[in-house]
Amino acid sequence: MLFVLSARLQDQPLPDPATFIEDFRQTLHSDQTLLGQYTYTQKETETTLDANGKTKKTETNVYQVIRGAEEWKTYRRHISRNGVPLSDRELEKQDRKEQDRVEKETRKRENQSAKERQQEKAKAERKEREAIDEVFAVYDIRLVGRETLEEISTILVTFNAKPGYKAKSRESKALQHIAGHAWIAEDDHALAKLDLEIIDPISIGAGLLAKVQKGSKLVFERRKINNEIWLPVRVDASVSARLFLLKGLNVHQLTEYSDHKKYTVDTILKFGEVE
């Protein structure tokens, strides 16, 4: 039945490119913004490889990310390292440090008016929108087909930097060295998956600080949570770089997000159970 439905979808014409891309543009947000009203578990596994691609070192850390009423109150609580839960003493020390940070930041902000807080929030939202607008300015985005991801119909698009485009910022200059594919949910135009590849080396600090090598890849995956919002579930990065003109770096980093829960006032009153 699923095969027949998929085949029927493939036979349908693709959406109008201009309309579909503009609808996608309006729904697009950064992972940070999407996760802004959720608590979740974040698992990071970093593997350092040698020049031949063999594993030299692997480290895994798990964090319980607890939202606050405002973004600056968010607590990224380290709960395990390489499969071993942190001790009660380590957790208590970490909690005290976080409490001190929040109290200090609260004192700094206690004279801030509601208008100033709103302006601060509006500034962050404006910066995100400007960054997204720049992405659509840099790239030539084309619809190439329809694919099913976990029973959801998506439109596959390709994106490549427009020849001769004059970048307005360092970030957009870096984008010109990146190309890839995106899978966009056909029903609500949300980003389901993003596959990026460095097609030309990216220099940081004119290459003196670092140079990210051609062939480095990043894959971002999102899933629709509780049938209401698309949230990050996985970021897979394979990066080869050279630091300070000398040291080579070959790293694979996998970040996994799980246990997404909508923020409530109770969330900031307790840390929850640590598995």
Side-chain angles (χ1 to χ4, degrees):
M1 180 65 180
L2 183 59
F3 176 78
V4 173
L5 178 61
S6 178
R8 288 177 179 173
L9 287 173
Q10 292 296 332
D11 291 337
Q12 295 179 11
L14 294 176
D16 173 68
T19 301
F20 186 82
I21 292 172
E22 181 56 31
D23 288 342
F24 168 53
R25 176 178 183 155
Q26 295 303 319
T27 68
L28 189 60
H29 291 286
S30 67
D31 284 355
Q32 183 179 0
T33 296
L34 292 172
L35 290 167
Q37 296 300 315
Y38 284 79
T39 66
Y40 51 92
T41 299
Q42 184 175 352
K43 181 180 179 182
E44 296 181 348
T45 303
E46 183 174 290
T47 303
T48 304
L49 308 172
D50 64 18
N52 297 315
K54 294 184 178 180
T55 299
K56 292 171 58 179
K57 176 185 177 183
T58 297
E59 183 169 322
T60 300
N61 291 287
V62 180
Y63 301 88
Q64 188 178 23
V65 182
I66 305 166
R67 285 295 309 180
E70 298 177 79
E71 184 178 348
W72 59 270
K73 291 183 179 179
T74 298
Y75 180 17
R76 190 168 179 262
R77 192 187 196 219
H78 194 184
I79 58 175
S80 79
R81 183 185 297 110
N82 296 326
V84 180
L86 269 64
S87 67
D88 289 342
R89 183 177 179 180
E90 289 175 303
L91 291 174
E92 289 170 3
K93 180 180 179 180
Q94 189 179 181
D95 292 347
R96 286 196 302 271
K97 184 176 180 180
E98 174 63 11
Q99 185 176 2
D100 290 343
R101 184 193 70 82
V102 171
E103 290 176 353
K104 181 178 180 180
E105 190 66 23
T106 300
R107 289 193 296 270
K108 284 174 57 178
R109 293 170 176 265
E110 61 186 8
N111 294 323
Q112 189 179 44
S113 67
K115 181 179 179 180
E116 289 173 327
R117 288 194 294 271
Q118 185 60 38
Q119 288 175 337
E120 189 177 271
K121 181 180 179 182
K123 181 180 179 180
E125 291 174 349
R126 185 173 64 254
K127 287 182 68 175
E128 181 190 62
R129 183 46 53 189
E130 288 173 351
I132 290 173
D133 288 345
E134 185 71 355
V135 168
F136 284 84
V138 169
Y139 288 119
D140 176 22
I141 304 174
R142 302 196 178 194
L143 280 60
V144 297
R146 181 180 279 107
E147 292 188 8
T148 301
L149 293 182
E150 297 195 359
E151 301 184 12
I152 293 176
S153 177
T154 68
I155 300 299
L156 171 63
V157 306
T158 60
F159 52 93
N160 294 276
K162 297 173 182 175
Y165 178 79
K166 294 184 178 180
K168 298 177 181 179
S169 64
R170 286 181 297 177
E171 291 76 14
S172 56
K173 286 181 181 178
L175 290 176
Q176 293 178 303
H177 298 266
I178 301 171
H181 302 77
W183 289 257
I184 304 165
E186 191 166 5
D187 60 349
D188 56 12
H189 308 102
L191 179 64
K193 184 178 178 181
L194 182 63
D195 192 336
L196 307 177
E197 182 173 356
I198 309 298
I199 57 173
D200 293 302
I202 298 176
S203 295
I204 301 173
L208 297 175
L209 297 179
K211 178 177 284 187
V212 182
Q213 304 293 354
K214 177 181 178 180
S216 296
K217 295 182 178 181
L218 293 93
V219 179
F220 300 81
E221 295 181 24
R222 294 174 176 177
R223 291 293 178 269
K224 201 166 189 176
I225 305 298
N226 299 328
N227 202 34
E228 61 180 10
I229 185 172
W230 288 82
L231 295 176
V233 294
R234 181 182 174 96
V235 178
D236 197 337
S238 297
V239 178
S240 177
R242 185 161 296 280
L243 308 179
F244 306 109
L245 300 178
L246 298 172
K247 184 179 179 181
L249 179 68
N250 193 3
V251 173
H252 175 241
Q253 184 163 357
L254 176 63
T255 304
E256 299 167 282
Y257 302 85
S258 60
D259 304 324
H260 302 85
K261 294 182 178 63
K262 193 74 178 285
Y263 162 79
T264 65
V265 175
D266 289 341
T267 307
I268 62 174
L269 301 179
K270 58 183 180 180
F271 294 118
E273 297 180 358
V274 179
E275 296 182 359

